[in-house]
Amino acid sequence: MQLPNLKEAKVRTQKEVVTKTNDYIITHDLVELGRGRQYYVKTYGCQMNEHDTENIKAILEDMSFTEAGSMEEADLILLNTCAIRENAHNKVFGMIGRIKHMKETKPEMMVGLCGCMAQEESVVDEILEKYRWLDVVFGTHNIHQLPRILKEAMVTKKLNVDVLSIEGDIIENVPVKRDHPYKAWVNIMYGCDKFCTYCIVPYTRGKQRSRKPHFIIEEVKELINAGYKEVTLLGQNVNAYGKDLKIDYTMANLLEEVAKTGIERLRFVTSHPWDFSDDMIRVIARYDNVMPYIHLPLQSGSNRILKLMGRRYTKESYLELFHKLKQALPYSAITTDIIVGFPGETEADFQDTLEVVKACAYDSAFTFIFSPRIGTPAAKMLDDVSLEVKQKRLHELNDLVNGYSRKANEAYLGKIVPVLIEGSSENNAEMLMGYTDTMKLVNVTGSKQFIGQIVPVKITDVKTWSMTGEIVENA
Ligand code: 5AD
Ligand code: SF4
């Protein structure tokens, strides 16, 4: 049993990151383990987790498991969890309760928990105390060891907890089963060293480790050959890419090299305002295949709160960057993340946030109430803002950002924009759906023959979170 350790999780040494190209091993005894059994992976949280699930699925299929259509049919259920806020945590424990009932009628079913919550000491303590009927718990650093971890649990028929609290290496030979045939996630870095005071990620995902450029370029080229149209470069803080490599190579260099592969659409998330260089802005402006969409988390508009958050920029420097981006990329959509109710946030601090939102008129914003995460510095700060006030601020903020989202969408009415048609619309099987270059969701009327293609779409109606349009043929 290897348990997570908060103290070890925050250690950052000078130790060089090792790139391992043959650490994922699937020996013949592991290949047959899943034969005749079905798996179901439920994913919570961010794109990083979604992409990890794509790795987990491929590993399980290497072990001859097949994917179940629903949780009820599965012989193995894995919950790939998120630790970012308390409500993600509660959802997972709610789901575990539901699964316990399923297990009563299906005792042979195996159940596991992985992802960011598995890296939390407090979560694993709770599991050891109350949920010993689970079969496996593994973390974000040892996904590639899943076959061994599962086998041990199958043999011993006991809960196997295997979580590493380490800075982390890079494992390059993990297989992937992509969810989508036209757009793909490509990790460019793992972990985060920013240690924003509210954030659990540096503890659950380890040290910032950039993948070597040639592995990334190779992956993108393979995706192009396989017919992919869109690649999203993934990292907690992509603008800091390369800073940990011992070569002179930045995110701007990587973005340019990936753009030159000729992939039709290139995106990247998430940017930290602190590391956004002029070189990057130049590359985004210069290459048509780098999409005019930037996610630029603000978190707060108050300098006092930004300082307490450890964000290392001010409202003024953020606004300067924002305007620089808009000037260089006038057509671009810019979105953000905002936290309200950080410990000690006053009405004046909150008004500063609203002021920045008004100045930026974001295309959309993800808004959250501060959630204390055990082990982070902010969790120890005096949180004297009542829940009622936090909720009131969230509502006020949401009303403001929703108004701007709608306005931003209204500017598209009657325009013809490029949309990558992904498939049928979720709510209406008669319609198609896809995203514009600026990452706006569009429900589209048109022939299914266009699925997988980037086509011109005329926008005929807009709502706050989506638009409607029709494919313009022979445009
Ligand atoms: N409480 C509330 N929101 C948080 N986020 C990260 N940590 C917390 C927390 N402890 C938000 C930030 C981040 C987004 C992914 O989640 O806004 O950008
Ligand atoms: Fe968390 Fe800050 Fe790192 Fe983003 S940059 S993952 S908010 S610590």
Side-chain angles (χ1 to χ4, degrees):
M1 204 162 284
Q2 292 236 44
L3 304 181
N5 180 304
L6 189 76
K7 261 202 201 109
E8 284 167 20
K10 60 179 152 191
V11 169
R12 293 294 185 269
T13 65
Q14 292 301 313
K15 203 179 118 239
E16 200 177 326
V17 173
V18 183
T19 299
K20 297 175 173 168
T21 52
N22 49 14
D23 252 40
Y24 169 67
I25 307 163
I26 181 113
T27 47
H28 67 274
D29 59 314
L30 299 169
V31 168
E32 290 300 316
L33 271 187
R35 181 80 61 209
R37 301 187 199 203
Q38 298 190 64
Y39 72 84
Y40 189 89
V41 187
K42 173 135 185 78
T43 313
Y44 299 83
C46 67
Q47 297 100 329
M48 195 71 73
N49 256 21
E50 280 182 34
H51 189 39
D52 283 351
T53 291
E54 294 183 328
N55 291 130
I56 291 169
K57 286 182 177 181
I59 294 173
L60 293 173
E61 296 196 5
D62 275 359
M63 297 171 74
S64 305
F65 282 94
T66 54
E67 188 163 7
S70 69
M71 199 179 264
E72 285 67 26
E73 292 164 72
D75 307 288
L76 167 68
I77 298 175
L78 291 179
L79 303 179
N80 189 8
T81 63
C82 168
I84 202 103
R85 281 171 295 273
E86 188 65 25
N87 57 356
H89 184 277
N90 294 344
K91 266 193 221 161
V92 168
F93 278 105
M95 181 55 82
I96 292 178
R98 223 184 98 191
I99 294 171
K100 180 149 198 259
H101 284 298
M102 289 165 59
K103 199 165 155 106
E104 277 158 16
T105 55
K106 216 174 158 186
E108 288 306 307
M109 179 175 77
M110 291 184 80
V111 185
L113 182 139
C114 59
C116 285
M117 273 172 66
Q119 295 289 146
E120 289 185 284
E121 238 179 82
S122 54
V123 168
V124 174
D125 286 348
E126 195 170 342
I127 288 173
L128 289 174
E129 204 180 300
K130 298 194 208 146
Y131 304 94
R132 280 208 169 251
W133 56 269
L134 288 177
D135 297 282
V136 286
V137 175
F138 60 98
T140 57
H141 292 291
N142 56 354
I143 290 173
H144 63 291
Q145 294 172 341
L146 175 57
R148 172 187 61 73
I149 296 168
L150 259 184
K151 183 177 178 185
E152 283 171 10
M154 282 176 174
V155 171
T156 63
K157 299 204 180 310
K158 281 203 186 114
L159 168 61
N160 188 13
V161 180
D162 201 328
V163 180
L164 307 174
S165 293
I166 51 171
E167 291 177 287
D169 293 318
I170 292 182
I171 317 294
E172 277 296 349
N173 68 327
V174 186
V176 56
K177 183 192 179 200
R178 298 197 184 268
D179 270 344
H180 204 281
Y182 314 115
K183 57 177 195 181
W185 313 112
V186 173
N187 273 126
I188 63 168
M189 64 205 298
Y190 303 93
C192 180
D193 286 346
K194 284 280 187 278
F195 286 99
C196 299
T197 57
Y198 51 82
C199 187
I200 192 80
V201 169
Y203 309 83
T204 60
R205 293 260 168 195
K207 169 158 95 177
Q208 172 176 320
R209 287 108 67 206
S210 299
R211 278 178 85 191
K212 295 199 169 117
H214 70 273
F215 286 111
I216 300 169
I217 304 295
E218 274 316 302
E219 189 172 341
V220 174
K221 286 183 176 162
E222 278 169 24
L223 287 165
I224 296 172
N225 288 337
Y228 281 80
K229 300 280 195 269
E230 182 174 309
V231 158
T232 301
L233 305 179
L234 275 188
Q236 299 298 345
N237 174 21
V238 290
N239 303 13
Y241 173 83
K243 290 193 174 182
D244 53 307
L245 291 171
K246 303 261 178 306
I247 51 174
D248 183 17
Y249 195 89
T250 64
M251 180 59 181
N253 299 129
L254 179 72
L255 204 57
E256 180 155 27
E257 218 180 323
V258 179
K260 281 182 177 164
T261 61
I263 181 76
E264 285 186 54
R265 283 183 160 194
L266 178 56
R267 303 186 188 278
F268 55 93
V269 281
T270 287
S271 291
H272 188 301
W274 187 35
D275 291 310
F276 218 118
S277 69
D278 289 352
D279 280 347
M280 254 186 85
I281 301 177
R282 269 192 289 275
V283 173
I284 303 167
R286 180 161 165 207
Y287 290 88
D288 285 346
N289 55 349
V290 181
M291 293 297 99
Y293 166 77
I294 293 154
H295 186 61
L296 195 69
L298 167 68
Q299 311 300 5
S300 169
S302 152
N303 286 339
R304 199 178 69 81
I305 297 293
L306 284 170
K307 194 151 191 208
L308 287 173
M309 287 177 161
R311 289 293 286 177
R312 307 182 206 204
Y313 55 82
T314 59
K315 163 183 163 184
E316 291 76 20
S317 65
Y318 181 95
L319 284 171
E320 192 186 319
L321 172 63
F322 184 94
H323 293 307
K324 209 184 325 178
L325 282 164
K326 274 285 172 190
Q327 207 161 24
L329 313 157
Y331 173 68
S332 63
I334 302 184
T335 58
T336 201
D337 289 344
I338 299 169
I339 298 174
V340 298
F342 189 81
E345 184 189 67
T346 62
E347 193 53 37
D349 293 320
F350 177 60
Q351 290 303 324
D352 282 347
T353 298
L354 296 183
E355 207 181 287
V356 178
V357 170
K358 286 175 193 160
C360 296
Y362 294 107
D363 283 78
S364 77
F366 299 93
T367 56
F368 313 101
I369 288 180
F370 167 73
S371 172
R373 310 312 297 134
I374 298 171
T376 61
K380 295 186 201 94
M381 295 178 191
L382 179 65
D383 186 1
D384 55 359
V385 190
S386 72
L387 183 62
E388 201 189 340
V389 169
K390 289 176 184 174
Q391 280 167 341
K392 192 184 117 297
R393 287 182 188 161
L394 184 71
H395 279 136
E396 194 177 339
L397 177 63
N398 283 345
D399 283 348
L400 187 67
V401 298
N402 292 345
Y404 287 118
S405 295
R406 201 186 157 95
K407 245 191 228 154
N409 284 354
E410 277 166 6
Y412 282 68
L413 257 180
K415 294 213 169 106
I416 295 174
V417 288
V419 175
L420 169 55
I421 304 292
E422 292 185 9
S424 296
S425 167
E426 241 176 56
N427 304 326
N428 180 352
E430 296 297 298
M431 288 189 88
L432 304 169
M433 59 74 66
Y435 287 87
T436 65
D437 48 355
T438 50
M439 201 68 176
K440 308 258 183 203
L441 172 63
V442 192
N443 292 306
V444 181
T445 22
S447 156
K448 285 200 164 77
Q449 78 187 66
F450 293 110
I451 293 176
Q453 293 182 34
I454 298 167
V455 292
V457 169
K458 183 167 185 185
I459 303 301
T460 52
D461 191 19
V462 298
K463 300 197 184 90
T464 305
W465 292 288
S466 68
M467 310 185 193
T468 311
E470 53 202 29
I471 294 177
V472 183
E473 291 191 43
N474 307 319

